[in-house]
Amino acid sequence: MILRKRKKPRPLAKLDAIIPRLSPAFPRLADIKKDAAQRQRGYIGEKKVDYYLDNLASKHTILQDVCLRVNGKTTQMDTVISANYATYIVDAKHYMDKIIFNTNLKQLTRSDGKIESGFEYPITQVENQKFHLQNYFFQHNMPNIPIYYFVAIADPSTIMEVVGDEQELAKIVAHAARIPSMILAKEDELSNAGANKLQHWNIGKQILRDCIEYDRDIMREYGIMLDDLSPGVRCLKCKMLGMGRVYGGWRCRKCGGFSSNAHLEALKIYLLCMPYITNSECMRWLGINGKNTATRLMRDSGLQFDPRHRRWIVKN
Ligand SMILES: [Zn+2]
């Protein structure tokens, strides 16, 4: 069963929300767009890999997008599969065209000529994840769970070449379609060797309890201030920013389109960028004058009032 389902990662959701509201003259806009495109590609790759790994869901416990805090450090794993004899970490990689692994130098060269080495080398990355997960199990009195890892190449058309130990690499890196059978083969091997059977469901539940949401402070990283973002409610029909408040909803000043709930998107975007919203900020952001209207819209949007600080937050 899939205990934890993948959602659009929060940093990507933030970037997607911010970009359409930034001025084209914002100094780092090109970097921000590049970051978003990279994250989007990673997300698509992860979902491609999910498509194959989901085949294991009937007999194993799968957690997608696992982020754990271990010894004060955050570790993120694309997929964790808790099985009868071991736990498997699968890291999804989405490369175009061709990649060359050099197992001696621990270096990967992509077809665009970019070299990933050191901590970015996919196998080093997933080894680190194993190290953190091992510590996590140890801390939770589950020290005897074997951990194995795989690097899943998301795109079936990616060509892999190896300089160095091809056989060793092939035990870890493969196209996503092959990963489920590699996991099943490992399970058979462990079973035949008389390994202890694990309570994979309980292990999965424990990890799920400790999962945190992976996040980045995108606003701070790119030096974006709230004033850099255009306020207003966006028309769902013509995409124009700045719908006017009318009785029972919003009217587009450009195309005349009506919506009863177009403000939901605007509030969602604000609260992706900021941890809370005040009444006056809500009025400014949505372009309305009435204090009571702002309060009603925020309450009806499912936000929660924090009376101590007199501001609204997303309900947990
Ligand atoms: Zn419109």
Side-chain angles (χ1 to χ4, degrees), residues 133-144:
L133 187 60
Q134 221 157 24
N135 281 339
Y136 169 80
F137 282 152
F138 196 79
Q139 284 176 2
H140 289 81
N141 296 320
M142 302 184 279
N144 298 321

Side-chain angles (χ1 to χ4, degrees), residues 235-240 243 252-257:
C235 171
L236 303 172
K237 274 188 196 149
C238 75
K239 307 291 173 205
M240 209 255 334
M243 290 181 97
C252 178
R253 296 188 174 100
K254 192 177 165 198
C255 76

Side-chain angles (χ1 to χ4, degrees), residues 55-244:
N55 291 329
L56 296 170
S58 61
K59 289 187 180 155
H60 305 79
T61 302
I62 301 180
L63 294 104
Q64 298 168 347
D65 191 22
V66 172
C67 190
L68 295 172
R69 197 112 183 108
V70 190
N71 295 337
K73 281 189 181 143
T74 303
T75 184
Q76 198 208 356
M77 292 164 280
D78 290 341
T79 309
V80 172
I81 299 166
S82 176
N84 282 325
Y85 298 100
T87 293
Y88 301 88
I89 302 169
V90 181
D91 199 42
K93 290 288 171 203
H94 202 192
Y95 301 111
M96 299 294 137
D97 308 328
K98 188 174 141 183
I99 44 173
I100 304 166
F101 285 89
N102 187 318
T103 62
N104 303 321
L105 299 174
K106 296 201 184 302
Q107 178 175 293
L108 179 127
T109 311
R110 304 191 325 210
S111 51
D112 59 7
K114 193 177 176 288
I115 292 172
E116 292 183 357
S117 56
F119 282 113
E120 287 184 10
Y121 184 59
I123 296 161
T124 313
Q125 271 182 353
V126 79
E127 269 169 2
N128 272 314
Q129 293 170 9
K130 179 190 166 176
F131 173 75
H132 288 301
L133 187 60
Q134 221 157 24
N135 281 339
Y136 169 80
F137 282 152
F138 196 79
Q139 284 176 2
H140 289 81
N141 296 320
M142 302 184 279
N144 298 321
I145 301 172
I147 303 171
Y148 297 91
Y149 51 77
F150 296 101
V151 175
I153 305 299
D155 202 309
S157 65
T158 302
I159 297 165
M160 286 183 272
E161 271 184 27
V162 182
V163 175
D165 195 339
E166 190 171 319
Q167 267 188 328
E168 270 310 300
L169 192 91
K171 287 181 191 165
I172 299 165
V173 184
H175 281 117
R178 285 196 48 232
I179 302 288
S181 56
M182 288 166 83
I183 289 176
L184 293 176
K186 192 54 148 176
E187 283 286 286
D188 279 347
E189 187 189 312
L190 292 166
S191 163
N192 292 337
N196 286 332
K197 206 162 178 181
L198 302 165
Q199 302 285 322
H200 64 81
W201 169 258
N202 291 340
I203 296 166
K205 286 288 265 187
Q206 178 67 51
I207 296 173
L208 182 68
R209 267 195 293 273
D210 293 318
C211 269
I212 54 170
E213 206 64 47
Y214 176 71
D215 204 1
R216 297 289 295 261
D217 191 347
I218 299 289
M219 297 283 279
R220 193 179 56 82
E221 279 175 35
Y222 287 106
I224 304 166
M225 310 302 279
L226 257 184
D227 283 348
D228 293 319
L229 302 177
S230 309
V233 172
R234 193 179 293 279
C235 171
L236 303 172
K237 274 188 196 149
C238 75
K239 307 291 173 205
M240 209 255 334
L241 209 51
M243 290 181 97

Side-chain angles (χ1 to χ4, degrees), residues 9-20:
R10 232 178 126 74
L12 177 59
K14 284 181 175 177
L15 288 162
D16 285 349
I18 287 168
I19 289 169

